[in-house]
Amino acid sequence: MRAIRLEIFVASLILSLPSHALLAETVLIVQAKKILTAAGKTIEDGTIVCVDGKIQAVGKTAEINIPVDAKILKCEIVMPGMVDVRTCVGLSGILNIKHDSDQLESSSPLQPELRAIDAYNPREELVEYIRSFGVTTVHTGHAPGELISGQTLIAKTIGNTVEESLLIDGRAIAATLGEGSTKAGKQSPGTRGKQMAMLRALLIEAQEYKSKLAKQTEAKPDKEKDTNKDNPSEPISRNLKLEALVDVLAGKKALMITADRAQDIASAIRLADEFKIKLWLDSAADAHLMIPEIKAAAIAVLLHPSMARASGAKENLSFQTAAKLHAAKIPFAIQGGFEAYVPKVRVILFEAAVAAAHGLSFDAAIESITISPAKILGIQDRVGSIEVGKDADLALFDGDPFEYTTHCVGVVINGQIVSKEN
Amino acid sequence: MLFHKISVAEYTLLLTMPAQSHCQNKSATLTTRRLFLAQSTSAISCAFIADRSLAQSTASSPPGASPSDKPNLGTIAWVNATLLPVDKPRIPDGVLVIAGGKISAVGSKQSTTIPSDATRIDAKGKWIMPGLVCTHSHIGGMGAADSSSPIQPGVRILDSINVRESGFRRALAGGLTTINIMPGSGHLISGQTVYCKLRYFEQSPRVVDDILIRDKKGEPIGGLKMANGTNSQGESPFPGTRGKSAYLVREQYIKAREYQAKVAAAKGDASKLPPRDLHLESLVEAMQGKRIVHHHTHRHDDIMTVIRLSQEFGFQTVLHHVSDGWKVAKEIAAAKLPCSIIVIDSPGGKLEAKDLVFRNGRVLDEAGVRVAFHTDDGITDSRLFMRSAALAVRAGMDPDKAIAGLTLAGAEMLGLDDRIGSLTVGKDADFAILSGDPLSSYTRVLETWVEGQLAFDLSKPQDQLFAEGGLKAGSDLDPFLCCYAQAWQGGAK
């Protein structure tokens, strides 16, 4: 109750501003029969006031004064703009040809130095496509397929340049365990054992590099000394590969490990434990067989799309995994993931709908593509729920968002109407 | 001998059926094959021979045998259900009666008499629709043509099917009862397809023979898979361009015509018959309408090429995938070719599918084209087949037409609409019992019945495993599809 009163109070403050401020283009009112806030409550007959790209007020329509002449969008249901917790969209393009496929560099199995910011195309048609169904934020980057394929970034699905779209660069480093990243012939890694040996060796190298860096900083706290020619000690050459992993060791970047089979999930947990790193378990088809281990490791699961193919490493996947993770109180979000063929991009709205039909509660399914991914990604102060002070990122529907026959009738990012379903 | 061995007389009959060689005849629609079958019903003894040989080779009930020979095929009546007969309007308070593996009554509570010996089942709140028909599926670990050449019409997919592959169980969990198992699209002509019934009862099928759909002579029924566009292009001897693709196909059909003429000229004299050629024989069957051509095609100009070739050679064609169909809907309607379309969650994945849209079904239907959906499983999951129709409805397709697209329209496209595809008296008792509206995302398939027997029951743990997924519910191998493998290896064609 206190929260609601506070919001109404804030709303009345805004609405008491001089009218010319209210009528500026930066004001948008969204009204819905139901506001799914993803913040623990559903508001019937509600209104959201967006000012300068932020949510300034949310509450019962009857309790919020609507400024005359303000632009009002009305719909049946409004929910927070969706957050895709793991996709390759923008690096992996609609045509699936060399020209638009930058999600995987196969020249070497270990390339944590590859930045997503240098590869993300914000004007990719598929970015616009998923946005039209209400996806407003993506955690995207290098694909599964190499032992370490590169980095990821977090972006809004709007913007002409990556800089305009960007929320966080270098959020995680993508790694893959299991058959997804083994190589044929005499190339390494050819086995699971070799994969872990290579990862451990590289992380140990990064640990040494990290301590050398620390010693150098200790020895020469004054920056000017660095350029002093009289200083006898050699400055450490920058190593971009190890720098990226130092960020992982320091907890600045997560290590996102794609691991579907139970033994690969166990290996990922073992690795994170050994090096004390922040692990995100990606895809995790066998997660339903590993609930106690995942729970004990206190890690988040970026769960494969519900409609991923039940074959190969994902042969044991289950529509019920989301429900089981939720019941075990393991933090998880449902991802769009990477597709090599078709559908070239998956829409998390559709993926969550299938989970909702297979044991996951409606509210938990909404959360699995909004506030849960925002929390896992560490951007919950900006996006993921409809709360005062957050970015005005909204998805409007003409009915239950999970029904196949419902439409996304409007998408708002930073308080601007950006698209609707075709 | 698992299959009926063809006699010289039948061989001649087969190859001398009049070809529908000109466009005036192309509208000789999907009933052509049935007409042919009706003319050759005298071969009942052949079916008997085939059945007996199968009975010896397997412990399961003989395929093609009269359903009344089978056990547990009593009279059952479901009452108080919402019925979607498909060939008639929805019946809100309906009664479905089956007997001897066939549908014996369909109607409202008021107008339907339930036999006194029937087992009554209260289906209040449940919906019953015909078993789903998938015109295009790749389950069963199948593989027909290999990479040696682009045209291999004599290769049969039925020689490759593993009936123990879990995909069949998952398909039943989606309410499917009939599927057309197809080779992939990496060839201009990749072989013969086969139509299967998912006869997974208490005793599972042991060999592929147990799931085949047979004609009145006891022979398995199937189509012919063809493809154009980029999937079937490649390094020599595969074509490198669209022009070459069409040329290679025309060349083969012209050879097949000549072959057909030689067979006809021999007039049954074995000494005058040309050496038997399985590839050409298959193409002759296509030109006779005995084998429906299931033609993979995406881009609008490729669609027009299929129309052009089917008119030149008179093969009876179903257009498959048809991503650009909405751009040439009038032309498809004018050519009277049915479309079995795919619904994918996003466009692209390859250039020729970049304009794939949810409204394809609506636009084609409104233009007068008969529309069915298919799973293309493993491209989409058979368990969620109804979703394809629902997404078409999302984009404005008439709901009844969309439901027909999961059932009767598909049956027509396989030439099996006299047996399956609707809740119609006399048809096979193939149906799905649902928790609600098939177009709702929350609806679950509760039971799937095939030829009067329960083949999937969500309340049984073993069936639930395949419906939900879990340990050993999937396939240990990724789908064997050229396009899929190529995509992983660095870009689709």
Side-chain angles (χ1 to χ4, degrees):
Chain A
M1 276 310 290
R2 176 173 287 181
I4 293 172
R5 279 206 201 106
L6 182 66
E7 282 156 17
I8 293 165
F9 172 69
V10 174
S12 52
L13 266 184
I14 298 303
L15 300 177
S16 61
L17 286 172
S19 61
H20 59 87
L22 289 171
L23 298 178
E25 283 178 84
T26 53
V27 177
L28 179 70
I29 309 295
V30 177
Q31 294 187 328
K33 289 191 182 159
K34 266 187 192 173
I35 300 176
L36 309 175
T37 63
K41 63 176 184 286
T42 295
I43 299 168
E44 308 276 342
D45 294 317
T47 290
I48 303 165
V49 181
C50 312
V51 178
D52 290 336
K54 297 282 179 184
I55 296 168
Q56 291 284 17
V58 55
K60 285 259 183 202
T61 298
E63 295 165 15
I64 288 182
N65 292 322
I66 310 302
V68 184
D69 295 339
K71 175 143 182 86
I72 300 178
L73 288 181
K74 290 189 178 181
C75 64
E76 290 290 311
I77 291 187
V78 60
M79 63 180 282
M82 291 162 230
V83 180
D84 191 335
V85 77
R86 199 310 188 229
T87 174
C88 298
V89 73
L91 286 83
S92 164
I94 185 169
L95 298 181
N96 203 12
I97 57 177
K98 182 83 190 93
H99 170 74
D100 69 351
S101 299
D102 291 293
Q103 72 280 1
L104 193 63
E105 162 66 47
S106 294
S107 56
S108 159
L110 294 168
Q111 303 193 62
E113 63 274 27
L114 305 185
R115 298 189 302 187
I117 196 172
D118 300 317
Y120 180 73
N121 172 13
R123 305 189 199 198
E124 163 58 43
E125 280 180 52
L126 292 177
V127 172
E128 192 181 328
Y129 183 78
I130 59 171
R131 189 181 71 205
S132 72
F133 294 97
V135 179
T136 54
T137 301
V138 288
H139 173 233
T140 186
H142 288 90
E146 293 292 341
L147 192 50
I148 295 183
S149 61
Q151 301 178 17
T152 64
L153 59 75
I154 301 174
K156 293 279 183 88
T157 53
I158 190 77
N160 287 323
T161 62
V162 65
E163 283 77 9
E164 264 182 44
S165 309
L166 195 66
L167 286 184
I168 299 175
D169 182 30
R171 183 64 190 89
I173 288 177
T176 307
L177 288 176
E179 57 257 61
S181 64
T182 49
K183 292 187 184 295
K186 294 192 172 175
Q187 284 183 293
S188 289
T191 62
R192 289 185 156 83
K194 185 68 176 224
Q195 288 178 338
M196 286 292 281
M198 289 168 73
L199 283 177
R200 293 178 65 225
L202 190 64
L203 283 165
I204 287 166
E205 211 184 316
Q207 280 177 331
E208 290 165 2
Y209 182 75
K210 187 180 172 218
S211 61
K212 275 187 204 165
L213 284 178
K215 276 178 196 159
Q216 181 176 268
T217 316
E218 263 174 50
K220 294 177 276 181
D222 185 348
K223 265 199 168 181
E224 296 206 349
K225 271 189 181 174
D226 286 354
T227 52
N228 188 347
K229 283 174 189 170
D230 300 331
N231 192 315
S233 70
E234 285 270 323
I236 300 165
S237 306
R238 279 187 73 182
N239 181 323
L240 295 179
K241 188 187 293 283
L242 296 179
E243 261 183 25
L245 291 174
V246 165
D247 282 353
V248 170
L249 292 169
K252 288 182 194 165
K253 287 180 169 61
L255 187 62
M256 177 174 67
I257 301 184
T258 307
D260 279 313
R261 294 200 186 270
Q263 68 267 45
D264 298 320
I265 292 173
S267 294
I269 292 172
R270 197 178 311 117
L271 190 78
D273 191 45
E274 179 178 356
F275 292 94
K276 308 291 173 235
I277 53 186
K278 178 82 177 170
L279 170 65
W280 291 342
L281 197 56
D282 177 43
S283 194
D286 281 359
H288 59 91
L289 305 172
M290 296 287 285
I291 297 284
E293 290 78 9
I294 294 169
K295 175 88 175 162
I299 52 175
V301 178
L302 321 184
L303 185 63
H304 61 78
S306 308
M307 291 184 277
R309 293 180 181 92
S311 63
K314 292 189 180 68
E315 64 174 308
N316 300 324
L317 63 72
S318 166
F319 290 143
Q320 292 183 336
T321 303
K324 287 178 180 170
L325 291 170
H326 180 68
K329 298 191 167 63
I330 292 170
F332 79 99
I334 296 175
Q335 63 172 247
F338 169 67
E339 285 294 337
Y341 190 40
V342 293
K344 199 69 194 79
V345 72
R346 290 189 183 270
V347 182
I348 49 174
L349 171 70
F350 298 154
E351 303 301 331
V354 171
H358 291 264
L360 188 63
S361 70
F362 178 86
D363 289 343
I366 292 288
E367 287 172 10
S368 76
I369 50 172
T370 56
I371 190 64
S372 300
K375 283 179 179 169
I376 292 169
L377 298 170
I379 50 173
Q380 74 273 23
D381 57 332
R382 289 284 302 273
V383 301
S385 62
I386 299 176
E387 291 178 275
V388 170
K390 287 203 178 183
D391 292 3
D393 295 355
L394 307 168
L396 286 64
F397 290 87
D398 59 3
D400 178 346
F402 292 142
E403 277 291 6
Y404 297 141
T405 49
T406 295
H407 306 90
C408 180
V409 294
V411 182
V412 173
I413 297 181
N414 299 332
Q416 302 291 314
I417 303 163
V418 291
S419 54
K420 65 173 182 176
E421 187 179 335
N422 290 322
Chain B
M1 189 191 79
L2 288 181
F3 300 108
H4 166 58
K5 194 181 263 179
I6 200 161
S7 69
V8 170
E10 285 161 341
Y11 174 45
T12 308
L13 170 72
L14 176 76
L15 296 175
T16 52
M17 284 291 292
Q20 308 151 35
S21 53
H22 300 290
C23 52
Q24 301 94 291
N25 286 346
K26 55 147 173 52
S27 61
T29 61
L30 294 164
T31 54
T32 310
R33 197 198 51 73
R34 289 209 309 280
L35 290 173
F36 170 70
L37 290 174
Q39 288 161 8
S40 52
T41 49
S42 60
I44 290 167
S45 60
C46 298
F48 172 73
I49 293 165
D51 291 342
R52 193 175 54 181
S53 64
L54 273 159
Q56 286 162 354
S57 67
T58 75
S60 60
S61 51
S66 161
S68 58
D69 294 346
K70 295 177 185 170
N72 308 321
L73 291 179
T75 305
I76 309 173
W78 284 265
V79 298
N80 300 321
T82 301
L83 296 184
L84 296 176
V86 177
D87 62 345
K88 291 187 290 288
R90 172 184 310 190
I91 304 168
D93 197 6
V95 176
L96 172 72
V97 187
I98 67 167
K102 301 279 181 187
I103 293 168
S104 58
V106 180
S108 67
K109 200 176 184 176
Q110 295 76 22
S111 66
T112 310
T113 313
I114 299 170
S116 56
D117 63 336
T119 306
R120 273 175 183 255
I121 298 173
D122 186 359
K124 193 169 177 59
K126 293 170 186 168
W127 293 45
I128 302 179
M129 68 182 290
L132 274 57
V133 178
C134 178
T135 51
H136 189 137
S137 181
H138 301 296
I139 62 177
M142 52 85 231
D146 65 8
S147 302
S148 60
S149 83
I151 297 183
Q152 304 184 40
V155 180
R156 301 185 300 196
I157 201 157
L158 67 81
D159 296 315
S160 74
I161 292 165
N162 172 16
V163 292
R164 290 164 176 81
E165 202 268 313
S166 60
F168 291 104
R169 295 282 187 178
R170 295 199 300 273
L172 277 166
L176 279 70
T177 54
T178 300
I179 54 172
N180 176 22
I181 304 183
M182 299 261 271
S185 53
H187 302 75
L188 296 169
I189 307 179
S190 54
Q192 299 173 11
T193 83
V194 68
Y195 306 158
C196 299
K197 272 286 185 82
L198 299 178
R199 301 188 186 102
Y200 286 73
F201 311 126
E202 271 182 39
Q203 178 152 27
S204 290
R206 300 179 57 80
V207 289
V208 69
D209 313 85
D210 299 338
I211 61 170
L212 299 177
I213 297 178
R214 293 167 183 273
D215 64 18
K216 285 174 181 167
K217 290 162 68 184
E219 290 192 73
I221 311 176
L224 182 68
K225 174 75 183 285
M226 292 180 62
N228 68 0
T230 49
N231 279 24
S232 46
Q233 292 180 25
E235 296 295 312
S236 180
F238 285 75
T241 63
R242 289 180 157 83
K244 184 68 177 277
S245 301
Y247 157 74
L248 289 173
V249 167
R250 293 184 66 229
E251 187 185 42
Q252 283 305 309
Y253 273 98
I254 287 166
K255 272 188 194 164
R257 257 191 197 159
E258 290 167 1
Y259 178 76
Q260 184 182 17
K262 281 181 195 165
V263 172
K267 291 183 179 160
D269 181 345
S271 67
K272 291 178 183 169
L273 280 171
R276 196 168 165 204
D277 184 317
L278 293 177
H279 292 311
L280 296 179
E281 195 175 291
S282 185
L283 297 183
V284 170
E285 288 172 359
M287 288 191 287
Q288 291 169 335
K290 184 172 187 291
R291 192 172 285 290
I292 294 169
V293 169
H294 295 285
H295 208 305
H296 160 114
T297 187
H298 284 285
R299 212 170 78 177
H300 55 91
D301 50 340
D302 291 327
I303 295 168
M304 295 311 295
T305 299
V306 179
I307 293 174
R308 196 178 310 117
L309 296 184
S310 69
Q311 291 179 348
E312 180 177 359
F313 296 103
F315 50 76
Q316 193 181 317
T317 308
V318 177
L319 300 172
H320 283 250
H321 306 326
V322 215
S323 301
D324 271 0
W326 57 277
K327 297 179 187 172
V328 286
K330 273 187 203 168
E331 288 77 6
I332 297 170
K336 295 188 165 54
L337 293 191
C339 286
S340 173
I341 66 170
I342 191 162
V343 179
I344 303 278
D345 280 15
S346 61
K350 56 180 178 173
L351 210 159
E352 62 183 7
K354 76 175 174 57
D355 294 338
L356 185 146
V357 285
F358 288 169
R359 68 177 183 281
N360 200 20
R362 168 174 63 80
V363 175
L364 286 166
D365 175 58
E366 288 174 358
V369 177
R370 189 61 159 159
V371 176
F373 303 96
H374 62 248
T375 62
D376 204 8
D377 196 337
I379 297 299
T380 74
D381 193 324
S382 293
R383 290 175 291 191
L384 298 164
F385 187 25
M386 292 176 199
R387 186 173 176 273
S388 295
L391 291 176
V393 172
R394 184 187 190 110
M397 189 174 183
D398 174 74
D400 292 336
K401 293 286 189 66
I403 297 288
L406 296 169
T407 53
L408 187 57
E412 289 167 9
M413 291 178 205
L414 301 181
L416 297 173
D417 51 308
D418 56 338
R419 302 187 191 187
I420 59 166
S422 58
L423 300 180
T424 307
V425 172
K427 285 196 180 183
D428 290 355
D430 294 354
F431 54 94
I433 302 177
L434 314 177
S435 63
D437 185 339
L439 300 176
S440 167
S441 59
Y442 299 105
T443 293
R444 300 298 304 273
V445 176
L446 304 174
E447 293 175 12
T448 306
W449 289 68
V450 177
E451 296 171 353
Q453 295 192 69
L454 184 60
F456 167 79
D457 181 349
L458 186 62
S459 69
K460 289 182 188 162
Q462 182 60 15
D463 286 351
Q464 205 174 74
L465 173 67
F466 293 106
E468 299 289 351
L471 191 60
K472 304 294 176 198
S475 312
D476 56 355
L477 294 173
D478 281 318
F480 177 75
L481 296 169
C482 57
C483 40
Y484 193 76
Q486 281 155 8
W488 274 106
Q489 287 158 12
K493 286 197 289 190

